[in-house]
Amino acid sequence: MGYYHSTYFAYGIHIPLPDGTPAWTETDRIDTELTKLKDRCPDVGHLEAGHYDADMVFLVTKADTIPLGQYGRASTATAEQRANWDLQLANAVHALGYSNIPDLDAPGWICVPDLS
């Protein structure tokens, strides 16, 4: 058995999960619900990544994989595009029931190392 290392550079929000909730169960739910929101959140998807069996969940609009040994940089998205992504992410957060999470981070560029 080997490990696969990758890194993601994305625009989005980390969604903290309750202790013991596997990331894959939440991303299955997100997949189902986001199909219903495509008209309001066409650019929103999710990213499940992190440390081996302790993946984290992120709602994202733009995500790129950075291969091991290489580098990446933030997209050249305009301020208008980021404002549109912020609105879509806010709509998704509300529709998915995450708006009650205390201290939920604002959308921004995030770098997520992944080990699987």
Side-chain angles (χ1 to χ4, degrees):
M1 180 173 137
Y3 292 105
Y4 177 75
H5 298 266
S6 56
T7 302
Y8 299 95
F9 197 65
Y11 190 84
I13 301 171
H14 173 242
I15 303 297
L17 299 178
D19 286 343
T21 303
W24 67 267
T25 60
E26 189 61 16
T27 56
D28 284 351
R29 185 182 82 83
I30 290 169
D31 281 338
T32 300
E33 294 303 315
L34 283 180
T35 59
K36 302 172 189 174
L37 302 172
K38 277 300 176 192
D39 59 329
R40 292 186 341 200
C41 310
D43 298 326
V44 177
H46 67 79
L47 175 62
E48 178 184 339
H51 185 270
Y52 193 59
D53 60 351
D55 279 350
M56 298 173 282
V57 174
F58 302 86
L59 288 180
V60 298
T61 56
K62 169 77 174 149
D64 294 316
T65 302
I66 309 300
L68 189 61
Q70 296 188 21
Y71 72 94
R73 64 178 72 208
S75 167
T76 57
T78 66
E80 288 177 341
Q81 182 64 56
R82 287 190 311 274
N84 181 273
W85 288 342
D86 289 349
L87 178 60
Q88 289 184 50
L89 287 164
N91 286 336
V93 162
H94 179 72
L96 290 164
Y98 299 134
S99 53
N100 62 352
I101 296 174
D103 302 324
L104 191 65
D105 291 336
W109 290 108
I110 51 180
C111 179
V112 186
D114 185 49
L115 175 64
S116 54

